[in-house]
């Protein structure tokens, strides 16, 4: 996990007036977030020579944060990027000691609403496949 405390520490604006955003958290920037992942690898599946199967799960969590400065607007109507928990899974099959790899992945497996730092909606669940050949 990670906690950051980025705040506006300028007491006065350039014109000498007090700053309304003094000690406010910087907007559009998550301040509490974390991730956890787990991988399980099985060596020697014996389908192809020198093969292995790797299964991975990732969970990314972000606490809610304000879209704009905290000082502006009524608390009840301020735009907030909501708390988000996104789970992804992947499986990779490799053979010939890792020379060839086939990966299948599902991002956002539970199709949760996800937003970027400016509250633009990100894509929902997605599937991808990748074939890799390692050339020495």
């Amino acid at each position: 996990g990670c906690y950051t405390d980025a705040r506006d520490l300028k007491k006065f604006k350039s014109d000498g007036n007090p700053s309304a955003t003094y000690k406010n958290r910087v907007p559009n920037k998550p301040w509490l977030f974390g991730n956890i992942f787990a991988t399980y690898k099985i060596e020697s599946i014996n389908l192809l020579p020198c093969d292995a199967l790797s299964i991975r799960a990732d969970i990314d969590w972000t606490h809610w944060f304000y879209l704009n400065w905290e000082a502006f607007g009524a608390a009840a109507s301020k735009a907030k990027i909501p708390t988000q928990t996104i789970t992804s899974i992947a499986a990779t099959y490799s053979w010939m000691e890792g020379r060839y790899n086939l990966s299948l992945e599902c991002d956002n497996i539970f199709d949760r609403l996800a937003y970027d730092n400016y509250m633009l909606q990100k894509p929902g669940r997605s599937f991808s496949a990748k074939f890799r050949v390692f050339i020495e």
Side-chain angles (χ1 to χ4, degrees), residues 94-95 98-103 130-134:
S94 62
W95 63 97
R99 182 176 178 123
Y100 302 100
N101 291 268
L102 177 63
S103 297
K130 176 173 64 172
F131 179 70
R132 181 187 80 124
V133 177
F134 181 72

Side-chain angles (χ1 to χ4, degrees), residues 2-14:
C2 186
Y3 171 79
T4 59
D5 197 22
R7 294 182 181 265
D8 176 11
L9 297 179
K10 285 180 100 176
K11 285 185 179 184
F12 300 97
K13 299 189 294 185
S14 59

Side-chain angles (χ1 to χ4, degrees), residues 86-125:
I86 305 299
T87 305
S88 301
I89 60 169
T92 300
Y93 179 70
S94 62
W95 63 97
M96 299 293 291
E97 296 179 353
R99 182 176 178 123
Y100 302 100
N101 291 268
L102 177 63
S103 297
L104 304 173
E105 186 167 346
C106 180
D107 287 324
N108 195 358
I109 191 166
F110 300 115
D111 203 21
R112 305 268 193 227
L113 281 177
Y115 299 94
D116 69 4
N117 290 11
Y118 295 94
M119 205 159 175
L120 296 174
Q121 189 174 343
K122 291 176 165 181
R125 181 185 306 126

